[in-house]
Amino acid sequence: MRTLNRVKELRVAKGHESQREFANFVTNNLGCPVSYGTINKLENQNGNPTWELLDTLATYFQVSTDYLMGRTNKNLAVAAHVDEEPGDELPPEAKIAVDTFYNKMRALYGKNKGTVENS
């Protein structure tokens, strides 16, 4: 799995100047225990996040997990649901869950794979 390569950019944009302060914020305010060392490793491409941390950061930054990991340059939490698509009334965490599911199914079935037909 590719490591997160956009954490620093997003962290600084949210006003978190230091990795240590951000690690404390994530632990104390977002409920996901993380150390300064973990944030440092992620920002320097030396670590793999837990799914809990990945989900927590994606939700906080309002981006998809794919964007965090550098798999896409679209920084929308739900790239497939833009311009008042069904589901716009969903809360951000639900949109992220839908986006994650969509990406997993696309990776599993891909274009012209499996038995699911595109409508």
Side-chain angles (χ1 to χ4, degrees):
M1 179 165 80
R2 292 175 62 178
T3 57
L4 305 181
N5 66 358
R6 294 185 165 127
V7 174
K8 181 176 183 179
E9 165 193 327
L10 294 166
R11 170 179 61 82
V12 172
K14 284 276 197 174
H16 300 283
E17 293 300 321
S18 76
Q19 294 171 341
R20 191 172 309 279
E21 181 273 328
F22 183 60
N24 288 334
F25 175 82
V26 172
T27 298
N28 297 325
N29 296 75
L30 303 180
C32 182
V34 65
S35 69
Y36 151 77
T38 298
I39 298 298
N40 182 275
K41 285 179 182 179
L42 293 175
E43 289 185 5
N44 290 296
Q45 303 289 309
N46 294 324
N48 290 319
T50 63
W51 284 111
E52 179 185 13
L53 178 58
L54 186 62
D55 181 57
T56 298
L57 294 178
T59 301
Y60 175 66
F61 292 130
Q62 296 182 348
V63 298
S64 69
T65 54
D66 282 345
Y67 180 78
L68 278 179
M69 296 183 341
R71 291 186 201 167
T72 182
N73 289 326
K74 294 180 182 179
N75 65 353
L76 300 173
V78 184
H81 301 286
V82 180
D83 295 330
E84 299 186 18
E85 293 272 332
D88 278 353
E89 69 280 0
L90 295 173
E93 59 273 11
K95 289 181 180 182
I96 290 169
V98 169
D99 187 49
T100 301
F101 176 78
Y102 173 80
N103 288 329
K104 285 180 182 178
M105 293 299 103
R106 185 136 193 210
L108 180 64
Y109 293 102
K111 192 171 185 178
N112 300 324
K113 288 184 182 177
T115 59
V116 178
E117 294 183 14
N118 295 330
S119 54

